Amino acid sequence: MTVYEAVIGLEIHVQLNTESKIFCSCKADSWGDPPNTNICPVCTGQPGVLPVPNQAVIEKGATLAAAMNAEIRRESYFDRKNYFYPDLPKGYQITQYDLAIGQGGYLELPLEDGGTRRIGIEKMHIEEDAGKTIHKPGRRLLDFNRCGVPLVEMVTSPDLRSAEEAAAFIRYLRRLVRWIGVSDADMEKGKMRFDANVSIREKGSSVLNPKTEIKNMNSIEHGREAIETEIQRQIKEVEAGGVIESWTLDWDEETKTLSKMRSKETEADYRYFKEPDLLAVKLDEDRIQEILDSLPELPHQREERFVVDFKLSHKEAATLTAERSLADYYEKTLQSYGGHPKTAANWVINDLLGLVNDLEVSLDDLYLSAERLGEIIKLVEEGKINTSTGRELVRNTEEMKKEPGQIVEEQGLAQLTDTSAIEAICQEVIEANPDQVAQYRSGKKGVIGWFMGQVMAQTGGKADPQAVREILTGLLEP
């Protein structure tokens, strides 16, 4: 039986989060705005206008190139890519071709088996976006708001071997661009989208069948489904004696089917030439060094540091570094608490993230700062409140907008540590429940939990659970 493997390369468009468009002063983020309200003669390609490069676009593009281990070119150029779509008003797109902002690069993609695979970057360039075509029965509407929105297009080498790996790459890249602050990467709003070039070959062979391209996917899960569907289609076609044709395909998310859009274009179809209205983009050594120095500790680096320095599991470290703001919050909490890193991690992962998910808010919107969470953990660790009270205090601090210590004092939440008082309550509970005492002494040791519940109820949850267990055990043993 012939075993096939997939060979996949991705073309990813990332919208840079600049205030204005790439060659004019129109607002770049027009999501939700009425059609054709963020446009001007430049971005709609009116005769006689001249583009002016946005410096922030160049710098953010260079920052992403550096984060992807690419070389930042000292001198790059813009080119014209000629094609005729209704939503491309100039009849060409200003992009970069052979001398783009980034040269080379790679990403070390974590694999499920704990290893990594280096995914090469064949091309990374800056370009402007086209508009949007809206199809209505019997007519076609055009919205030019997106014309001129700045993009970085990244083309990977054909190094991915499954739909799952392709999805993992997109997830990691989305995490990275958010981490370094160059894009929101909100796929629902079209701020990150991707195409997939898919082909198959017999496992162990270097001979590829022709590739197909799946266009314009803006959901990681739907993209994974589309790629897997195309892999299986190609395998069936080859096994039936057919030939794979180089088509551009469209994925219908609702019916989960692929359909042919057009035959795949080649670079010759676009008739690239240097953009005559723009000078070369030049970055001197000092500016490039500033960009390199401004790069934060990247997510995979921080994840590894959490594992090595803080002795967290890979799963815990991955959770805490899912977003840069969360990683920062964790480290600030740990600094404020001053105790064991794993303890702080448990509180952040279980209690903080639970609160954030319940309230559907961002970390930046919380009253419960990292310092306040650190104070709560410290109150528990010092025995001033018990763990269950501490967990309630997390939510109460956020909802009441008060300092944790103030809430403890006002509500009398301080832990009852007077062993003589606890012993008196335990004795009272034991005397009032002879049937449960008999069960315990007959060997049903699990009933100790019931006794603890009774004692904790009588103390309003303020008794030290460990002290309660020890005292009850001493009193119940015959």
Side-chain angles (χ1 to χ4, degrees), residues 58-114:
I58 305 300
E59 293 179 347
K60 285 179 182 286
T63 299
L64 179 54
M68 295 296 295
N69 302 290
E71 178 187 350
I72 301 172
R73 276 202 172 97
R74 275 64 178 163
E75 187 169 301
S76 59
Y77 294 85
F78 284 103
D79 301 88
R80 287 191 183 182
K81 179 181 181 181
N82 296 274
Y83 60 97
F84 297 95
Y85 285 174
D87 52 17
L88 191 68
K90 295 193 293 286
Y92 62 85
Q93 178 189 34
I94 300 178
T95 182
Q96 292 184 314
Y97 180 49
D98 54 341
L99 293 173
I101 190 76
Q103 181 177 11
Y106 62 88
L107 182 149
E108 295 288 355
L109 180 66
L111 303 177
E112 291 184 356
D113 61 6

Side-chain angles (χ1 to χ4, degrees), residues 312-328:
L312 302 182
S313 69
H314 283 282
K315 183 178 180 180
E316 290 168 332
T319 300
L320 291 170
T321 57
E323 299 283 349
R324 184 177 173 186
S325 58
L326 179 60
D328 289 343

Side-chain angles (χ1 to χ4, degrees), residues 6 105 116 130 135 284-285 384 442 473:
T116 62
H135 297 277
D284 60 32
E285 295 293 336
K384 294 180 180 178
S442 68
T473 301

Side-chain angles (χ1 to χ4, degrees), residues 41-161:
V42 174
C43 56
T44 55
Q46 303 302 310
V49 298
L50 290 174
V52 178
N54 183 338
Q55 181 178 345
V57 172
I58 305 300
E59 293 179 347
K60 285 179 182 286
T63 299
L64 179 54
M68 295 296 295
N69 302 290
E71 178 187 350
I72 301 172
R73 276 202 172 97
R74 275 64 178 163
E75 187 169 301
S76 59
Y77 294 85
F78 284 103
D79 301 88
R80 287 191 183 182
K81 179 181 181 181
N82 296 274
Y83 60 97
F84 297 95
Y85 285 174
D87 52 17
L88 191 68
K90 295 193 293 286
Y92 62 85
Q93 178 189 34
I94 300 178
T95 182
Q96 292 184 314
Y97 180 49
D98 54 341
L99 293 173
I101 190 76
Q103 181 177 11
Y106 62 88
L107 182 149
E108 295 288 355
L109 180 66
L111 303 177
E112 291 184 356
D113 61 6
T116 62
R117 174 174 291 127
R118 177 168 292 192
I119 309 301
I121 305 301
E122 292 190 348
K123 192 175 180 184
M124 188 182 312
H125 61 267
I126 300 167
E127 64 183 20
E128 63 178 344
D129 204 353
K132 182 179 181 180
T133 301
I134 303 168
H135 297 277
K136 298 282 187 179
R139 57 181 179 157
R140 179 181 291 175
L141 305 178
L142 300 175
D143 179 6
F144 292 123
N145 278 346
R146 286 192 63 88
C147 283
V149 167
L151 304 174
V152 166
E153 181 177 2
M154 186 181 301
V155 181
T156 76
S157 301
D159 295 335
L160 298 158
R161 294 292 174 263

